[in-house]
């Protein structure tokens, strides 16, 4: 049995904002297991050019992501919502092993099941190289 993950759909402006903030906080923890618990066991993902499903695949993806994207810091913003869907825009900053900094911009489409778990995530992301002094988000 899956534990509900409030706030639950149908979303209001207040609960949609709370869901977005919870996601931002979780992703900034950089804990793949904790982050994966917000997704259904069979959650379907498209992240850039990667397509996969399930919590184990999510954990593996996030572990690899945060090994590459060092000093990761994310900011999400609610774009729109319906009863069980939320759209967000986001940016995050990170650097690679060569100390090259990037700002990544993107949009996500989220669909939730009745338990408040994300059953589908579609993310489109672009990376822009920046200089360290251009950083806007601080860890």
């Amino acid at each position: 049995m899956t534990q509900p993950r409030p706030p639950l759909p149908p979303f209001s402006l207040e609960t949609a904002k709370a869901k977005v903030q919870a996601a931002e906080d979780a992703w900034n923890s950089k804990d793949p297991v904790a982050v994966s618990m917000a997704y259904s066991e069979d959650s379907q993902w498209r992240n850039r050019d990667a397509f996969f499903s399930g919590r184990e695949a999510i954990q593996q993806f996030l572990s690899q992501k945060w090994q590459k994207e060092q000093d990761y810091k994310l900011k999400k913003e609610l774009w729109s919502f319906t009863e069980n869907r939320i759209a967000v825009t986001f940016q995050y900053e990170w650097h690679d092993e060569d100390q090259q900094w990037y700002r990544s911009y993107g949009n996500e489409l989220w669909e939730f099941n009745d338990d408040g778990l994300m059953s589908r995530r579609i993310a489109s992301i672009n990376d822009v190289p920046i200089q360290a002094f251009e950083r806007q988000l601080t860890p």
Side-chain angles (χ1 to χ4, degrees), residues 85-127:
R85 293 180 175 175
I86 296 175
V88 299
T89 186
F90 62 87
Q91 65 176 308
Y92 62 90
E93 294 174 344
W94 57 280
H95 67 81
D96 62 18
E97 63 185 17
D98 296 325
Q99 301 303 308
Q100 171 60 58
W101 280 92
Y102 295 88
R103 185 172 303 118
S104 300
Y105 296 96
N107 301 299
E108 290 177 308
L109 304 175
W110 301 342
E111 184 173 36
F112 294 88
N113 65 21
D114 291 341
D115 290 324
L117 296 169
M118 195 180 303
S119 58
R120 188 164 60 152
R121 175 183 177 268
I122 301 170
S124 297
I125 308 167
N126 298 302
D127 303 316

Side-chain angles (χ1 to χ4, degrees), residues 19-38:
K19 203 68 152 172
V20 171
Q21 187 61 57
E24 178 183 311
D25 293 345
W27 280 66
N28 279 325
S29 78
K30 297 178 282 300
D31 180 340
V33 174
V35 171
S36 74
M37 298 310 291

